[in-house]
Amino acid sequence: MDILIIGGSGYLGRELVRQARAAGHRVAATYHRRPVAAAGVTWHPLDLRDRRAVAALSAEVVVNAAYRKAEWATTADGALHVAAAAAATGARLVHVSSDAVFSGAARSYPETSDPDPVTPYGAAKAAAETAVRGLTPSAVIARTSLIVGDGGSVHETRVHALATGASGGALFTDDVRCPVHVADLAAALLELAASPYAGVHHVAGPDAVSRHELGTLIARRDGLDPARLPAALRAGSPDPGPLDVRLDCTATRSRLRTRLRGAREFLRS
C-alpha cells in the first residue's frame, strides 16, 4: 500500500510508521515540529489548520493519528481538512478517535453509541467524527483509549515522574479506561486500512483499569515502588473529565486478526 500517516512523529504515529515500513509499504508521514529518523520514509511538515497544505498531500491510504488536546482548530478542523482531501482523491481514510467522546454515564459503550462529550477535547473529537462521516462515509473511525507501550508514552512518563518525586500530582482511582498497547493499536489500524470495513470501530484493550491501577502496573513492570504513586479521586477535583468509560470492542474484535491485549497482560512484570 501507499500510505500517508498524518501525525507520524507522535507516539502512535511512530509505531504506525515502523510497522508500515516493516510490512513493505511505501510510507510518507507528516510532522508538526520535527521529523523522526526512519529509513525509507518521506517526511512532510504539516500544519493541519492549513487546508491547502493538507489538500496538497495524497496517498492511496491515509491514517490520521494527529491531535492537539488544547486546540480545536487542529483536532476538529484539521480532521475535516484531512477528510476533505481524502474525499477529493478517493483515498482510503482511517481516522483515529478517542473514548473522550463519551461522558461515562453508560456502563459501557459499543460502536453504535452516540458521542456525549463533557470536555472541550471530547467535543473536538466528536466534531471530527461528524466531519469524517459526512465527507468520507467509507472511512474507518477508530476510537481508542489510553495508549501505552514499552516505555515513552505519556502515561508511562508520568508514572516515572510521580514514583521518583520528579513531579507532583496524583493518579485517579475512580477514572477507569481500557488501555491498549501501541503496537496492538497500530497493527489493528493498518489491518483496518487494508479491510473493506467502514464506520465506527472500537480498538482498545479488554481490561478496564483505573489510572492508578494502570500506574501501579507500569511501576511494577519498571521496578519502581507503586506505594510512591499518590492516589486521588477525579470526582470533585478541579480536573474535569469523564470517569468510567469502557469501550465495548466485541464487534471490532470479531473482524480483526490482530489480538488486542489487556493492560494486565502486556504490563505483566
Side-chain angles (χ1 to χ4, degrees):
M1 290 188 295
D2 178 16
I3 302 178
L4 172 63
I5 298 170
I6 306 292
S9 61
Y11 187 66
L12 172 59
R14 294 195 301 272
E15 181 63 17
L16 284 163
V17 167
R18 186 192 71 78
Q19 290 194 25
R21 282 293 300 145
H25 300 305
R26 181 181 174 188
V27 180
T30 74
Y31 65 92
H32 183 63
R33 291 189 177 89
R34 63 183 66 86
V36 176
V41 178
T42 302
W43 287 95
H44 302 280
L46 181 66
D47 185 340
L48 281 178
R49 297 169 298 182
D50 186 339
R51 185 165 186 156
R52 290 185 179 179
V54 175
L57 299 176
S58 63
E60 175 189 0
V61 174
V62 177
V63 180
N64 183 14
Y67 74 97
R68 295 189 74 184
K69 277 193 173 183
E71 194 172 282
W72 179 281
T74 295
T75 301
D77 295 345
L80 181 149
H81 298 159
V82 173
T89 61
R92 168 70 163 163
L93 175 61
V94 176
H95 173 78
V96 181
S97 190
S98 168
D99 58 8
V101 301
F102 297 123
S103 68
R107 176 62 178 171
S108 67
Y109 292 90
E111 284 91 339
T112 53
S113 301
D114 291 328
D116 61 340
V118 294
T119 64
Y121 174 61
K125 294 299 279 187
E129 289 189 8
T130 298
V132 170
R133 283 180 180 174
L135 292 171
T136 51
S138 63
V140 167
I141 295 171
R143 294 176 182 145
T144 191
S145 190
L146 306 183
I147 305 173
V148 183
D150 301 320
S153 71
V154 170
H155 311 291
E156 291 160 286
T157 300
R158 182 158 190 245
V159 167
H160 278 246
L162 288 171
T164 59
S167 73
L171 298 174
F172 297 124
T173 58
D174 59 345
D175 185 331
V176 176
R177 299 292 188 274
C178 298
V180 65
H181 195 284
V182 66
D184 298 349
L185 175 57
L189 293 173
L190 292 173
E191 184 178 342
L192 287 168
S195 78
Y197 301 122
V200 174
H201 290 69
H202 285 179
V203 188
D207 294 342
V209 300
S210 71
R211 290 182 185 264
H212 189 271
E213 182 181 355
L214 178 63
T216 297
L217 291 169
I218 292 170
R220 286 174 179 163
R221 182 200 64 184
D222 295 346
L224 302 170
D225 183 3
R228 292 180 59 85
L229 297 175
L233 294 175
R234 181 186 284 277
S237 80
D239 188 3
L243 296 180
D244 193 329
V245 181
R246 308 181 188 214
L247 295 183
D248 181 345
C249 304
T250 304
T252 300
R253 286 196 190 98
S254 71
R255 294 177 165 182
L256 291 174
R257 297 185 305 276
T258 301
R259 191 168 75 86
L260 301 171
R261 296 168 291 166
R264 296 187 186 98
E265 177 182 352
F266 66 74
L267 290 171
R268 189 178 295 130
S269 56

